[in-house]
Amino acid sequence: IPSAFPEEDDESELASFTHYLFLFACLFIITLAIFICGLVGNAIVIWFLCFIMKKNPITTYILNLAVADSCVLVTLALAISASFWDIGGVSFGLCIELFISTHVISLYLLTAISAEKCLSVVFPIWYRCHRLEHLSEIVCAFIWVMSILVFGIYHFFISTENADVDIMICVIHTINSVFCTLVVVICTVILFIKFCCSLHRRQRGKFYTALLLALLFFLIFGVPLSVIITVQYLLPDINIIMALFGVVSAVINSSVNPFIYFLIGREKTHRSREPLKVVLERVFSDKADCREDRSLPATTDSMMMTP
């Protein structure tokens, strides 16, 4: 008499496969929706910061960050496409390397933004007196040039089949995942304490809130990919689920910032729809902080003149 247990096992495996397939389809649809919204949001931010809004140190950083996040999403889309179709001879490996490089650029830019804003809050007088006029442009240009240079050196070592290339990349990603994350964590904590404990917290610009939220989302969704890349070079047999989690987290991290700007810049008291220019200017103008910075030298001078 044939046993019924094999049929029950087949039904259980089929049900389990259907369950996982359904979860994967839901994850894919949600990730695709986030991807499209993030790409559109970053494109809107880039358009407004390039052609409509007045330039300042904050908008310079945010513009470069939006470009880097857009590159992360575009290179990921190219990598997925290259894994299925031939897109002009561009290989899947090259697209993945570009995806990782642009993610690293986004990491460096957020680290630079948090470090500079932290200095402006902790040492306002020193920062006001010693900050270079075009510091934000110099920092952003340096980050892009160095990242492109490292990417070129990596491909040079690959073409010459140098055995030290994995060690070099492992060291770079270890520095990224440890040093940059540590700097961002320290700056986030300091900014949060200063923001909550400052007597002028009501006068603070909305950019502080937007920056704190962006840094928080980065620590949750941006750091995992850097950690996973580092682990991959140390342990080549990485779990595919872990790699997928890192990619999805990177998509969320590169898509969330425009929505943070829109939500923070929107006035809750206004029921009518405000123009995007007004919303973004409310976040990036940072007028309250500029008033405080302008008042600092005057206060210092008056203290020095007092007998």
Side-chain angles (χ1 to χ4, degrees), residues 51-94:
F51 303 106
I52 297 178
M53 290 185 59
K54 186 179 179 181
K55 299 293 188 300
N56 61 49
I58 292 176
T59 57
T60 300
Y61 280 121
I62 298 301
L63 173 61
N64 282 269
L65 181 61
V67 172
D69 287 338
S70 299
C71 291
V72 170
L73 299 175
V74 170
T75 52
L76 178 60
L78 289 175
I80 295 174
S81 301
S83 63
F84 293 101
W85 305 286
D86 181 15
I87 50 174
V90 179
S91 65
F92 172 77
L94 177 62

Side-chain angles (χ1 to χ4, degrees), residues 15-191:
S16 178
F17 175 76
T18 305
H19 175 71
Y20 284 115
L21 183 62
F22 175 76
L23 290 178
F24 178 78
C26 292
L27 178 63
F28 175 77
I29 293 173
I30 294 173
T31 305
L32 182 61
I34 295 174
F35 172 88
I36 295 174
C37 293
L39 202 57
V40 173
N42 281 306
I44 293 173
V45 171
I46 293 171
W47 171 263
F48 273 86
L49 295 184
C50 282
F51 303 106
I52 297 178
M53 290 185 59
K54 186 179 179 181
K55 299 293 188 300
N56 61 49
I58 292 176
T59 57
T60 300
Y61 280 121
I62 298 301
L63 173 61
N64 282 269
L65 181 61
V67 172
D69 287 338
S70 299
C71 291
V72 170
L73 299 175
V74 170
T75 52
L76 178 60
L78 289 175
I80 295 174
S81 301
S83 63
F84 293 101
W85 305 286
D86 181 15
I87 50 174
V90 179
S91 65
F92 172 77
L94 177 62
C95 294
I96 288 295
E97 292 164 9
L98 288 172
F99 167 71
I100 295 174
S101 298
T102 51
H103 178 265
V104 170
I105 293 174
S106 178
L107 166 65
Y108 288 159
L109 287 170
L110 266 175
T111 304
I113 295 171
S114 60
E116 183 170 341
K117 206 61 181 175
C118 186
L119 286 175
S120 69
V121 171
V122 178
F123 307 106
I125 299 177
W126 178 89
Y127 177 82
R128 180 72 177 174
C129 297
H130 294 85
R131 185 187 186 276
L132 297 177
E133 183 179 357
H134 300 287
L135 179 62
S136 55
E137 291 88 347
I138 295 173
V139 171
C140 292
F142 177 78
I143 289 174
W144 282 98
V145 170
M146 287 302 298
S147 300
I148 294 172
L149 183 62
V150 170
F151 181 79
I153 293 174
Y154 172 75
H155 271 279
F156 172 76
F157 280 123
I158 287 291
S159 62
T160 56
E161 298 181 355
N162 194 309
D164 297 331
V165 62
D166 288 338
I167 299 176
M168 180 190 73
I169 297 301
C170 182
V171 170
I172 292 174
H173 285 295
T174 302
I175 294 173
N176 295 340
S177 59
V178 175
F179 175 74
C180 293
T181 303
L182 185 62
V183 172
V184 171
V185 169
I186 294 173
C187 294
T188 303
V189 172
I190 293 175
L191 287 173

